[in-house]
Amino acid sequence: MMYVPERPPVEYKGLSLAIVRLATKWGPAGISLLLRFAWGVFFAAIVVLVTFVWAVRRFINPLLPWFIRDVVVVVGLLAFVCIVAIIGIWGERKVSGRIQSRLGPMRTGAWHGWAQSLADGLKFVQKEDLIPRDADQPLFRLAPYVALVPAFCAYLTIPFSLGWVFRESDVGLLFVLAMLAIEVLGVIMAGWASNSKWSLYGAMRAACQLVSYEIPMGLSLLAVVLSVGSLNLIELGRAQEGGWFSWLIFRNPFLFLAFFTYYIASLASCKRSPFDLPEGESELVAGFHTEYSGFRFVMFFFAEYVAMFAVSALATILFLGGWNSPVAGLCSPLWFVLKSAFLVWVQMWFRWTLPRIRIDQVMHACVKYLLPLSLLLFVGSSLWQLYDNRAHPAFEGFAGLLHYVLGGVGLLLLGLFFAGAGYGYYNRNRLVGSMVRKHLPGA
Amino acid sequence: MTPSEIIEVLKQHDGAGIVSAVADGLHPHVVVKMDRLPAIAALLQSDWRLRFDLLRCISAIDWPAKNSIELSYDVISTSFGHALAVKVLLDRANPQVESVSVVWPAAEWHEREAFDLMGVTFLHHPDLRRILLPEDWTDHPLRKDYPYPVAYKGLKLNP
Amino acid sequence: MKEIEFQYQSDLHQEGEIPSDIRTEELTLNMGPQHPSTHGVLRVVLQTDGELVLQATPYVGYLHRCAEKIAEKVTYRQFTPYTDRLDYLAGMNNNLGFALAVEKLGGIEVPARAEYLRVIFAELNRIASHLVATGCYGLDMGAFTPFVYCFREREYVLDLFEAVCGARLTYSYITIGGVREDLPDGWIGRCREFLDYLGPKIAEYNNLLSYNHIFINRTGNVGVCPPDLALAYGLTGSCLRGSGVKWDLRKATPYCRYNEFDFDIPVGRGEKGTVGDCWDRYFVRIQEIGQSVRIIRQALDKLTEGPTQAKVPRAVKLPAGEIYYEVENPRGQLGFYLVSEGGTSPYRLKIRGPSFCNLSVLPVVARNCLLADVTALLGSLDIVMGEVDR
Amino acid sequence: MGLIEGIFEPGLVVTSVDWVLNWSRKRSIFPMTFGIACCAIEMMAAGAARFDLDRFGAGAFRATPRQADLMIVAGTVTFKMAERLRRLWEQMAEPRYVMAMGACAISGGPYHLHAYHVVKGVDQVVPVDVYVPGCPPRPEALIEGLLRLQDKISTRTIAKP
């Protein structure tokens, strides 16, 4: 029970001693670092070599510009995904702080703690790499990658705007859904490999929840696909050109409801509150990543935020007009990012407002309500599509009218939201209480 | 009912089981014989005039001078609002008494605590283990002659 | 004892459900002592069958701080600070209970102003304690925001305490023979301002948590503790009242002039499920906050001028005798069994912690429920480990 | 950080790297959700609205020791609890810090005399970095302790000693 000194530093012997001595004697820290990560350097060299050979072969190929474009776009996407996760994690803490009449991170970085998630990430890189003795080592190491990499791959076919896409694919939607579905494999892997009962509970909850909610999620999206007639995400975005009223969510009442079923199912598939059972802190200590520390944990964290943005991006493209602005004609990737960020923000809003559902209620909500409803919406939308054409002029007129009514309802909802927010902001002294604001740390 | 009335009722039912009774003062109580305790507890709980349904506390007091351990069962009736204490005196060397957890399940934990801290053994208790102290603790600390341990598993008590 | 109808029944144990070549066994899950929803250092060992908890066995004693032994070694006045640390969310009420027990045994009369001040501070602390209970219950249910809101409101109560005694948590303000200090200038105005502020906030909690559909589904019909079971296991305070038993020591055996005040005893009515479920226990606490506000308002009106401390010698000496005295704490009845041999320190002091008895019902109620229901039940019992282990 | 510590000559590059590494460590101290007794309430209050530990980047309370950097021993450690506490500390990943919050964790506090079941100072069980006195310490004191811990972290270096 008494105090045990910390682990002694690593002893260097033989070749490694020579290398370390050489490196430190020569001074520059960089060389020493490189030598310490000799394995990494070795693999990096192989990768560079292979790429170089490939590039040279491409050089005598007329497709070189495309290759360069691919590399640039992939690097850009990676950077974008990292920024999304970093801003998402920081934003989550700021949003939670503001909802809870706190401030959130303020000190890290000069302005409103903007560098908080950078510091978190860098710290976690420095943490000890812990693998429990009884854990299934290969799976334990593999799981974070299985969770993070597919979530990133989903972005390969998500168009940010016309032409702003890595690969335009005719089955883009299916690809994104498939990639998002792989994440559950990583979660189950993590839970199983940790050899901890809490992790196992988290993994089992994740398995039954994520797999079941795939179905209403897919069905809601299929309703959209049927009404446009394409799985190509670019085509789906193109179908919504022409401003607010041509967004697919306002196309017909079934799609209007399908947006909400999709959004609820996407909350569940991202493990967001109120469906955050797999990592529910007050029940399962930290759920499936209970035994993960350091950078592996960060990867799970990253995967969550990357997936959050991905499902929101899907909702934006399929329902909310994608990169099209509410006013016709001004399409820009900025709109796309803005709308998706809004949906991510709503997810955070939910997270800090609602309690958590119980596991049986999660399944009831899916099987008893969401699944039949989305099936109904799918059938309804198909039937609507069948009659909404020139052959049925009367119905077409009715459909057009309803289309504008729905658009009006959407405008009204948005207006009410902003009105409520503005009312709350202007009366913040009265609503929160002047006693509170007087004592807040930033006041 | 006043304490004296309650004691009257008790004496009518089981006059032989009651050693002595104090009806006035701050802590009205009856001292009962050790072997009559379960019967009297059941009577207190079930008699329609008494209805002592809430067992508040079981306190064990060590009296080395009298060479006995005193158990005091404080009960109250939520229907009538009257309160009483029942006491038993146990042999200090071998304190044993019948458990009343059949009558008041609340007694289960109180009795475990008395066993843990005072070393009273309760017969026919469903689960008589130490409750507060670790399982491998050796003595009963609330006894007046408790020797303070020097260390526990390498941790010194007074460093 | 009545058999309780459980909502969840394990289907797995029925004959023929499981193919005979699959071997199943129960999973033993160790919850605590470090677990976010065990409210301190409680350890619960769960026998589980998947998500279904077959049996929950609590293990306590991780915070056994030997208060009863210490009481025999220190004087009466010296023991007052230790009572603060029993139920550390309701230090004022603990002080009050101990002071009353000593005063009753020693025959000490307390001035009228001190009595009213005691009521005011006991009720303010009840508000603070129930706010923590409410907030932490939200946390157990996975809603973080109510927790922060409740702590925000609690800070104002602590400000009021700080103004009179300088401490935020361990007050030792209510001492033997009265209270330690008189009120500072302007305190009553600040207190009234706080009461005015708190009223609308309770409605806010109700909107945010109590009447939240998810919250009701999580707590209604969960952890049902019928009145006879509650009484049998010695539940007191809001847990007993949540089971529909109208029993409050402030009404039944009034102390500190509680009989002069007009207030109601809220009881569980099974509004969102069965009488005695988690929601009832939770909502009784919310209602008690309102009742405490009522009592404090009346006490502030009745507050008379006069001394706040009876003439008690510095070394309190009690005559030989014994007393068992209980007060209504936020968590239930806190009892002190005080035996004096005529010296300056107690011969024996037995403390009845309400949480100790409230917790003992856990293995009975948490049977055949889901894993998430155990946290719901634990949160609704609102235990404080300092008092369970003493 | 056993990998790169103590092998470099001090210099401009090393101190700059030090600054970045220490900056990230001290700006993101994740405490463990581990309240033992009274002090835990003040710890919760420090995380709540008025005091808001999150301002210093230390508001993300992690329930699992694997992801936590700081164990705030908030309360009286008893003999029964001591081995659990030790195990929790062992489960934490390096670099890890321990803060003894309150008189009980520092020395047994009010329970120093007469208590037969209380560990008189948590430094008998785990190495302590920062002691925060008080019974219980105010949330401001806890924040001060956190800032002192940040100072302590910023003195670490990967250079040769």
Side-chain angles (χ1 to χ4, degrees), chain A residues 197 201 205 282 352 358 436, chain C residues 8 28 50-51 140 145 197:
Chain A
K197 287 170 184 172
Y201 266 99
R205 282 181 174 190
S282 61
W352 298 104
R358 208 167 47 199
V436 174
Chain C
Y8 309 104
T28 306
E51 284 275 339
D140 289 345
T145 304
Y197 163 78

Side-chain angles (χ1 to χ4, degrees), chain A residues 58-390:
Chain A
R58 285 277 174 173
F59 191 65
I60 40 172
N61 194 312
L63 288 175
L64 180 71
W66 273 265
F67 171 71
I68 293 174
R69 172 199 175 272
D70 279 3
V71 170
V72 168
V73 169
V74 164
V75 170
L77 265 181
L78 254 176
F80 176 78
V81 165
C82 284
I83 289 170
V84 159
I86 282 171
I87 293 184
I89 294 168
W90 170 73
E92 174 105 58
R93 284 171 83 166
K94 291 304 276 189
V95 166
S96 78
R98 283 299 174 176
I99 286 177
Q100 296 163 357
S101 68
R102 297 187 290 123
L103 290 172
M106 288 301 283
R107 298 293 180 97
T108 319
W111 180 78
H112 283 267
W114 65 270
Q116 186 58 51
S117 19
L118 285 179
D120 289 346
L122 201 53
K123 178 209 66 180
F124 271 119
V125 174
Q126 297 174 63
K127 291 285 277 186
E128 185 186 357
D129 182 25
L130 264 182
I131 299 177
R133 191 191 60 204
D134 294 337
D136 190 333
Q137 285 226 8
L139 283 186
F140 192 85
R141 287 164 189 274
L142 186 62
Y145 298 95
V146 178
L148 178 61
V149 173
F152 166 70
C153 287
Y155 284 79
L156 294 180
T157 53
I158 290 182
F160 285 58
S161 180
L162 285 176
W164 286 60
V165 61
F166 178 73
R167 280 284 187 277
E168 186 179 340
S169 163
D170 282 340
V171 288
L173 180 64
L174 282 186
F175 181 78
V176 174
L177 281 180
M179 283 299 141
L180 288 177
I182 293 179
E183 195 197 339
V184 66
L185 203 63
V187 170
I188 297 172
M189 221 181 247
W192 169 256
S194 297
N195 196 21
S196 156
K197 287 170 184 172
W198 297 115
S199 303
L200 191 62
Y201 266 99
M204 289 301 132
R205 282 181 174 190
C208 72
Q209 171 185 326
L210 269 63
V211 171
S212 353
Y213 275 84
E214 290 292 330
I215 305 166
M217 192 171 156
L219 278 175
S220 319
L221 293 183
L222 272 185
V224 182
V225 169
L226 261 180
S227 66
V228 176
S230 170
L231 281 165
N232 187 335
L233 290 170
I234 300 264
E235 290 298 319
L236 282 161
R238 274 228 180 96
Q240 310 178 57
E241 278 167 0
W244 176 270
F245 289 98
S246 52
W247 291 0
L248 277 174
I249 181 175
F250 308 126
R251 171 75 55 96
N252 66 43
F254 299 104
L255 289 189
F256 191 75
L257 289 176
F259 170 73
F260 294 101
T261 53
Y262 167 75
Y263 197 70
I264 292 169
S266 76
L267 282 180
S269 75
C270 284
K271 309 185 285 293
R272 292 295 293 184
S273 180
F275 301 99
D276 56 347
L277 291 102
E279 46 196 307
E281 187 168 294
S282 61
E283 293 154 26
L284 317 174
V285 178
F288 62 89
H289 54 64
T290 302
E291 298 294 336
Y292 278 86
S293 69
F295 199 65
R296 294 181 217 284
F297 164 62
V298 174
M299 288 174 79
F300 279 117
F301 221 59
F302 253 59
E304 183 181 334
Y305 284 85
V306 171
M308 262 167 78
F309 193 85
V311 294
S312 301
L314 263 194
T316 308
I317 294 173
L318 270 81
F319 292 101
L320 300 181
W323 49 86
N324 298 302
S325 76
V327 189
L330 296 167
C331 74
S332 147
L334 209 61
W335 281 113
F336 170 79
V337 174
L338 214 63
K339 289 173 195 170
S340 310
F342 177 78
L343 291 181
V344 170
W345 178 77
V346 174
Q347 288 189 347
M348 292 176 182
W349 186 16
F350 279 167
R351 163 94 194 261
W352 298 104
T353 309
L354 294 179
R356 185 181 305 124
I357 314 187
R358 208 167 47 199
I359 183 70
D360 62 326
Q361 291 162 354
V362 168
M363 302 316 287
H364 280 213
C366 178
V367 178
K368 282 189 182 168
Y369 302 103
L370 219 48
L371 186 57
L373 183 63
S374 54
L375 200 62
L376 203 71
L377 294 176
F378 172 63
V379 174
S381 182
S382 325
L383 286 177
W384 188 283
Q385 204 55 36
L386 194 63
Y387 290 101
D388 188 7
N389 56 35
R390 293 281 157 79

Side-chain angles (χ1 to χ4, degrees), chain C residues 10-20:
Chain C
S10 170
D11 300 333
L12 290 179
H13 294 293
Q14 290 167 6
E15 284 292 318
E17 274 293 321
I18 305 166
S20 56

